[in-house]
Amino acid sequence: MAKRAADFSEQESDVIKNGDRPMEIDQNEVGEFEDEFEDEFESEDEIMEAGVDGRPDDEREAEERENAMDVDQNIFIPGRHKLAAGETLAPDPSTYEMLHTLEAPWPCLSCDIIPDSLGSDRKNYPATVYAVAGTQAARGRDKENQLMVMKMSSLSRMERNEEEEDSDSDDEASDPILETRTIPMTSCTNRIRAHQLPQTTSGKAPTTLTASMTESGQVLIHDITQHLVSFDTPGTVITPAQNKPVSTIRAHKTNEGYAVDWSPMVPEGKLITGDVAGNIFATTRTQGGGWVTDTTPYTGHQGTIEELQWSPSEKHVFSSASNDGSVKIWDARSKSRKAAISMQVSKTDVNVLSWSHQTSHLLASGADDGEWAVWDLRQWKPLTSMSNEKKPSPVASFTFHKEQITAVEWHPTDDSIVLVCAGDNTLSLWDLAVELDDEESRDTAGVQDVPPQLLFVHYMDQIKEAHWHPQIPGAVMATGGSGFGVFKTISV
């Protein structure tokens, strides 16, 4: 997984808006009707053959061609075209329901959203988001790295026309507020993931843990419960001891790592971590709150472990991706520590994976050549039975992005919606429910190489990672070289 140097150039966002495709009327579906007044006509010559609007088809079609929309084939596409000197990109406010940017002291390669107690399916504004991120300080300033626990509030809705305003709405236009609680780190955080234990007492905040995969090879586990409580409970004191990790995983030795994931099926806490040597280790939290790492690694990849993802529905199953171009499916109970299924999915590095939460046999992958794909795991066979069978093809694949894919994530409640981040400074939203008709072009509105499944393109400088908010439908948080972005489009 390529890293990005700290770069604070300011860019603005741009979007693509796709128009509705006109539906053609099938003339074969126009039925024949009996005219109860046909005896009133003196001859058949008085009946004029006409199309659906009363005119001959040739005349109507000629007028449609003359008035057809002239599509600009040179339309600017973020990530595909370069700005000229002095040009900047500006977002179209009408395409966003919410759009905010917040600065960080250093760029963050990774972030994660923290579940909160403000309710599910939230649609009121201003919105509030709790999150965590790890910084990438400049070379030689490693001791300035931080684990940032954040509360983003006053995230207001985009300004609307007066006639669209709801008199009963409590929306208020205001500047976003970013509050932070920082934990000192001595190494860059390559990947961070949060896990929240079930709430045991209504009056007590649930325990929230983070796992930070660092450049030094150590995996640091922190309890950030008190840091989150301090945002909403005045007078809360965070002691130096609470800033220290509750556990440090040293199984990777000095091997740098990029991959970490908590199991959604183990409430008390279990995580897997992967490194550049191709080793994957499992760590489990005990009932007493201690941590045990199995020192026998899962092995089989011939390169760096770029991504790890637990199955959302099977407790002992996880997937891995590597720069050897393969994706593997593992049974964590295997005594051999070898993969059950392996598939070569790319000729380049496979950087990221995402397992569908709604349809658990669908797995999305993103590679270094800019291609991302969706795979049906029911078509993947165990290693022992694949030798004489044809390699499965992806259910869908797209090459719209021309730079490395840095993040891919399924929508938490809609298994047709996917977000994708790429090295071309863009985040794209896709609707896989859009299907191509036999006579339909593979382009959108006549613009070349823009698939109809593409819903939206959001521009963000050096964007690295993004996540859907599980409690605010359609809301996305992203991190990149220019800080953090929180937005919601009108498309999702």
Side-chain angles (χ1 to χ4, degrees):
M1 179 181 294
K3 293 184 183 177
R4 301 177 183 180
D7 184 351
F8 298 96
S9 61
E10 297 183 357
Q11 299 284 353
E12 301 233 1
S13 310
D14 195 21
V15 296
I16 293 178
K17 298 183 289 182
N18 296 331
D20 294 330
R21 293 186 298 277
M23 300 296 294
E24 295 185 359
I25 298 175
D26 188 351
Q27 299 299 323
N28 294 326
E29 293 182 357
V30 180
E32 296 183 359
F33 297 90
E34 180 179 357
D35 189 349
E36 60 179 313
F37 302 107
E38 63 177 336
D39 291 341
E40 296 181 6
F41 291 104
E42 295 182 358
S43 69
E44 294 183 358
D45 294 337
E46 296 184 23
I47 302 177
M48 181 180 68
E49 183 179 352
V52 293
D53 60 355
R55 293 178 298 161
D57 289 341
D58 292 344
E59 178 184 336
R60 176 174 49 81
E61 291 172 0
E63 182 177 336
E64 288 177 353
R65 287 192 296 269
E66 182 180 349
N67 296 330
M69 180 178 64
D70 185 15
V71 178
D72 183 4
Q73 295 297 328
N74 296 319
I75 185 171
F76 185 91
I77 301 176
R80 190 72 62 81
H81 303 126
K82 294 183 178 180
L83 293 170
E87 290 183 334
T88 59
L89 290 177
D92 181 351
S94 68
T95 62
Y96 290 90
E97 185 171 311
M98 175 176 66
L99 177 62
H100 296 284
T101 57
L102 303 99
E103 294 183 356
W106 293 106
C108 295
L109 296 175
S110 182
C111 66
D112 205 5
I113 295 174
I114 307 294
D116 57 52
S117 59
L118 301 178
S120 301
D121 197 26
R122 304 201 299 266
K123 299 178 182 178
N124 294 330
Y125 291 89
T128 298
V129 174
Y130 296 85
V132 64
T135 63
Q136 182 196 23
R139 292 289 181 186
R141 303 175 67 175
D142 291 344
K143 292 185 178 180
E144 295 183 29
N145 277 300
Q146 304 171 343
L147 189 159
M148 299 174 60
V149 184
M150 299 174 285
K151 177 183 179 182
M152 305 174 185
S153 56
S154 294
L155 303 174
S156 58
R157 184 198 297 264
M158 298 294 289
E159 293 185 6
R160 298 173 293 175
N161 296 330
E162 294 183 3
E163 58 269 18
E164 295 178 350
E165 293 288 354
D166 184 354
S167 59
D168 297 329
S169 172
D170 57 1
D171 299 356
E172 295 182 3
S174 57
D175 293 331
I177 299 173
L178 173 61
E179 302 173 71
T180 63
R181 304 289 184 265
T182 60
I183 297 174
M185 302 280 280
T186 58
S187 181
C188 164
T189 298
N190 291 335
R191 187 71 61 85
I192 188 168
R193 291 292 180 263
H195 176 71
Q196 199 166 81
L197 277 64
Q199 188 171 10
T200 56
T201 307
S202 59
K204 186 178 180 181
T207 298
T208 302
L209 304 170
T210 62
S212 306
M213 193 78 198
T214 67
E215 192 176 45
S216 67
Q218 294 184 346
V219 182
L220 305 179
I221 301 175
H222 288 88
D223 184 339
I224 62 167
T225 308
Q226 198 74 355
H227 302 75
L228 292 168
V229 169
S230 69
F231 289 126
D232 305 304
T233 307
T236 301
V237 177
I238 300 172
T239 65
Q242 290 171 329
N243 278 335
K244 295 182 179 180
V246 296
S247 182
T248 300
I249 301 173
R250 296 183 172 87
H252 299 280
K253 299 180 181 179
T254 58
N255 294 317
E256 184 176 9
Y258 300 110
V260 58
D261 195 37
W262 293 92
S263 171
M265 306 293 289
V266 183
E268 58 270 20
K270 182 173 183 177
L271 71 156
I272 44 177
T273 52
D275 60 36
V276 296
N279 296 317
I280 302 171
F281 292 94
T283 301
T284 305
R285 184 174 181 267
T286 66
Q287 293 293 332
W291 298 87
V292 177
T293 299
D294 188 336
T295 56
T296 303
Y298 299 89
T299 59
H301 281 294
Q302 303 303 310
T304 299
I305 307 298
E306 299 282 4
E307 177 74 290
L308 292 167
Q309 279 261 309
W310 284 100
S311 166
S313 60
E314 297 185 67
K315 184 176 181 179
H316 302 290
V317 177
F318 67 89
S319 60
S320 62
S322 170
N323 66 358
D324 62 13
S326 71
V327 172
K328 298 182 186 294
I329 307 297
W330 309 74
D331 185 337
R333 299 166 296 184
S334 171
K335 294 181 180 179
S336 70
R337 297 296 193 270
K338 299 298 182 182
I341 301 174
S342 182
M343 190 63 59
Q344 198 73 21
V345 303
S346 177
K347 296 180 180 179
T348 62
D349 303 5
V350 183
N351 296 325
V352 288
L353 296 172
S354 180
W355 220 312
S356 171
H357 297 276
Q358 302 299 312
T359 308
S360 58
H361 60 261
L362 295 180
L363 183 71
S365 64
D368 229 35
D369 59 3
E371 180 177 17
W372 73 276
V374 177
W375 303 88
D376 185 343
L377 297 181
R378 296 173 300 180
Q379 299 177 1
W380 291 17
K381 304 299 181 183
L383 292 171
T384 55
S385 62
M386 281 297 295
S387 56
N388 297 323
E389 295 190 23
K390 183 180 178 181
K391 175 186 172 182
S393 299
V395 177
S397 64
F398 302 93
T399 57
F400 171 77
H401 293 286
K402 303 306 178 184
E403 300 291 340
Q404 64 170 335
I405 303 299
T406 61
V408 59
E409 186 169 291
W410 292 91
H411 190 283
T413 59
D414 189 334
D415 61 1
S416 68
I417 305 296
V418 181
L419 71 75
V420 178
C421 300
D424 55 15
N425 299 325
T426 64
L427 180 155
S428 56
L429 303 181
W430 300 77
D431 184 359
L432 302 182
V434 177
E435 298 182 358
L436 291 174
D437 296 332
D438 292 339
E439 298 179 359
E440 186 176 16
S441 168
R442 292 191 62 83
D443 304 324
T444 297
V447 180
Q448 188 176 5
D449 298 328
V450 178
Q453 293 87 351
L454 180 62
L455 286 177
F456 201 93
V457 176
H458 173 79
Y459 183 92
M460 182 174 176
D461 181 40
Q462 297 184 44
I463 190 168
K464 184 62 179 177
E465 191 174 277
H467 301 285
W468 299 100
H469 197 296
Q471 297 169 270
I472 306 176
V476 174
M477 176 185 174
T479 183
S482 56
F484 304 106
V486 180
F487 67 89
K488 174 176 167 54
T489 76
I490 61 173
S491 301
V492 179

